[in-house]
Amino acid sequence: MADSITITDNRNGNTIEVPIVNGGVDAAQWSKLLPGVWFLDPSFGATASTQSAITDLDGENGILRYRGYPIEELAEKSTYLEVAYLLVHGDLPTSAEYEAWQYDITHHTFIHENMRKRFLDGFHYDAHPMGMLVSALAALSTFYPEAKDIDDREVRLKQIIRLIAKTPTIAAACHRFYAGLPFNYPDNELSFPENFLQMMWRVGDPKYDADPRLVRAIDILFMLHADHEQNCSTTAMRVIGSSHADPYSSAAGAAAGLYGPRHGGANEAVVRMLTSIGHMDNVGAFIDGVKSGSGRLQGFGHRVYKNYDPRAKIIKNAAYDVFEVTGKNPLLDVALKLEETALSDEYFISRKLYPNVDFYSGLIYQAMGFPIDFYPVLFAIPRMSGWCAHWNEMLDQNQRISRPRQVYTGAPVRGYVPIAQRI
Ligand code: CMC
């Protein structure tokens, strides 16, 4: 049987055969047969918005691979910085390439003094750090006007390095502002995750010695969050970038997409939910509430995964390593009970709702002392490498500007009535 589909326009009997290539059909072929008839798919549930060679996600089988490498293997053997290189460049680096990459990232971690002293200091004292980050990313474009030269691959790579390197610095600066603590400058002697932790936590001492188990946990979390193909924020990055906006403005849009509780804000929502449940004994009543429509089980469900999110499995194990250092997060028992109850409940089984990446990550962040508002920022820091890889790929593909159609459902043509005559 041919690997194709046949579409027939029943209005006139016209027919077209469209090949199925890589699991997709070319919409341009459909348009030839059906000009002016649009596919209505508001949430892109059945639409592939692009071809991409970055992340391979099989949600039915719970598989996630970056550039062909299983996420489980990367989380065990790699580092975030190496994964960022892999996403951006397509292959794992050689020793020399890694050294150069590490040097470049390390030497672009500083931010302009005006950014910190004048821009970030201008926020309200209790500003949400995600709001600050979104604004700061957009503001970076004003410091690097050459970033507009998106046709020059070298210029593009320079901005990618800056974005990956500066996001943790901005993130930590947002936290220090909120906490009323002086800003810590980046330390070039430290690895990427260690440097981030010292910018967050160092007070008084000239050096910050992070527990290596916590450094590794952060590195693993960064790897797991680095990319997830065409999610809401990455799609925003590609859509904005398709207008040839500079990468800082595009990244600000992507970060705004990540902010919401249905996406990167879910880790924050999970901890708030677990806190409000408070005790294992209250889990049953909470689940009943979700089933009767009074809110969602945060950290559960996924548009693409209809199986256990492989990242959630890795995070659950990492959580135990972190708790060895920090002591067990008291909310863990509530989370475990919630997971067990949901996974054996027909409502969740029939809808294929499983824990996603955010179900356990918030517990780790809380145990490590990160403020709850800060959790989506911890997601944004590593996702920056994924956004940049997709932005770069989209430009390499010379993609046309994103411009979907709509199905108009408003009023038919009508005449203007002067205000005095309106009733
Ligand atoms: N709790 C209870 N019911 C749910 C949940 C949930 N977390 N998620 C989906 N459902 C139900 C939903 O009510 C619907 O039921 P019905 O068919 O009876 O109307 C069915 O499952 C399908 O839901 P949907 O809204 O069509 O699914 P979606 O693909 O549009 O939404 C989602 C995906 C992630 C937004 C959603 O599952 C959700 O809101 N989850 C909670 C928030 C969350 O954890 N988000 C983090 C996602 S992973 C990190 C990331 O990549 O950003």
Side-chain angles (χ1 to χ4, degrees):
M1 195 186 292
D3 230 3
S4 65
I5 54 160
T6 300
I7 318 159
T8 303
D9 184 344
N10 292 328
R11 295 169 302 181
N12 50 30
N14 289 345
T15 190
I16 191 169
E17 187 181 348
V18 190
I20 301 172
V21 181
N22 288 333
V25 287
D26 182 0
Q29 297 297 316
W30 298 59
S31 304
K32 269 189 207 160
L33 178 75
L34 300 162
V37 177
W38 311 120
F39 302 100
L40 184 58
D41 186 16
S43 56
F44 300 145
T47 301
S49 62
T50 185
Q51 301 195 50
S52 179
I54 299 171
T55 287
D56 186 8
L57 205 178
D58 175 351
E60 288 297 329
N61 295 306
I63 289 172
L64 174 64
R65 298 183 193 126
Y66 295 159
R67 302 279 190 187
Y69 295 99
I71 191 68
E72 294 81 2
E73 214 176 328
L74 292 170
E76 189 191 333
K77 298 175 185 164
S78 189
T79 62
Y80 167 67
L81 219 49
E82 189 177 58
V83 162
Y85 183 98
L86 173 69
L87 292 171
V88 171
H89 290 280
D91 287 304
L92 286 170
T94 62
S95 299
E97 286 165 342
Y98 185 72
E99 215 171 290
W101 174 250
Q102 192 173 30
Y103 180 92
D104 284 343
I105 299 283
T106 306
H107 288 82
H108 285 87
T109 47
F110 274 63
I111 51 175
H112 194 288
E113 285 290 277
N114 280 359
M115 179 70 140
R116 180 178 67 81
K117 287 190 183 149
R118 307 180 79 110
F119 185 77
L120 292 178
D121 275 5
F123 278 92
H124 199 248
Y125 72 95
D126 62 352
H128 194 291
M130 241 349 233
M132 294 175 79
L133 178 70
V134 168
S135 320
L137 288 171
L140 278 183
S141 74
T142 64
F143 291 93
Y144 306 109
E146 75 272 22
K148 288 186 173 58
D149 188 4
I150 49 103
D151 292 323
D152 186 323
R153 296 201 87 247
E154 285 307 308
V155 173
R156 255 152 60 186
L157 185 59
K158 183 77 172 277
Q159 313 319 313
I160 289 174
I161 288 168
R162 283 182 172 142
L163 274 164
I164 294 173
K166 291 183 199 306
T167 304
T169 312
I170 294 170
C174 295
H175 167 68
R176 302 291 287 200
F177 169 77
Y178 181 90
L181 290 164
F183 174 71
N184 283 332
Y185 286 95
D187 182 341
N188 287 359
E189 309 257 291
L190 299 177
S191 70
F192 189 88
E194 277 176 305
N195 179 44
F196 169 61
L197 292 177
Q198 80 81 20
M199 288 191 291
M200 286 293 294
W201 306 129
R202 183 169 64 77
V203 184
D205 300 322
K207 284 280 169 199
Y208 179 77
D209 277 329
D211 187 298
R213 290 168 292 180
L214 298 186
V215 174
R216 182 63 192 157
I218 280 289
D219 218 19
I220 291 173
L221 283 159
F222 280 0
M223 283 187 266
L224 300 181
H225 285 88
D227 194 45
H228 212 231
E229 51 117 303
Q230 311 309 318
N231 53 84
C232 175
S233 57
T234 304
T235 300
M237 183 87 188
R238 290 185 85 121
V239 168
I240 299 168
S242 78
S243 77
H244 289 185
D246 68 81
Y248 302 103
S249 305
S250 305
L258 189 74
Y259 193 174
R262 286 174 164 187
H263 190 9
N267 47 20
E268 182 180 342
V270 168
V271 172
R272 292 193 194 283
M273 172 190 75
L274 294 174
T275 309
S276 78
I277 295 172
H279 193 275
M280 285 161 68
D281 294 349
N282 304 329
V283 163
F286 179 80
I287 290 283
D288 288 344
V290 169
K291 282 159 49 179
S292 61
S294 69
R296 291 200 160 187
L297 176 49
Q298 297 298 333
F300 254 70
H302 201 277
R303 170 63 56 81
V304 184
Y305 289 119
K306 301 304 166 199
N307 203 322
Y308 213 100
D309 181 337
R311 302 168 299 175
K313 270 188 205 149
I314 301 168
I315 290 186
K316 198 173 168 184
N317 292 336
Y320 289 102
D321 296 341
V322 169
F323 298 157
E324 259 181 37
V325 184
T326 61
K328 193 175 92 177
N329 186 327
L331 292 178
L332 177 67
D333 292 334
V334 180
L336 289 170
K337 180 76 183 161
L338 205 49
E339 179 187 349
E340 184 196 318
T341 310
L343 290 181
S344 56
D345 189 295
E346 189 47 32
Y347 175 95
F348 296 90
I349 295 170
S350 62
R351 290 169 179 77
K352 298 189 176 174
L353 300 170
Y354 291 87
N356 60 49
V357 69
D358 289 318
F359 193 67
Y360 286 104
S361 59
L363 292 182
I364 299 185
Y365 298 147
Q366 192 177 48
M368 288 177 78
F370 290 103
I372 194 162
D373 283 357
F374 201 74
Y375 303 172
V377 177
L378 290 162
F379 193 150
I381 292 170
R383 184 54 60 89
M384 185 57 73
S385 57
W387 292 334
C388 288
H390 282 274
W391 172 74
N392 208 29
E393 183 182 66
M394 182 271 305
L395 292 173
D396 278 346
Q397 291 166 335
N398 201 16
Q399 192 191 296
R400 294 169 76 200
I401 188 168
S402 294
R403 203 320 183 173
R405 298 294 186 140
Q406 65 165 16
V407 174
Y408 178 67
T409 59
V413 64
R414 46 186 171 163
Y416 181 83
V417 179
I419 195 163
Q421 294 168 25
R422 284 176 221 156
I423 44 170

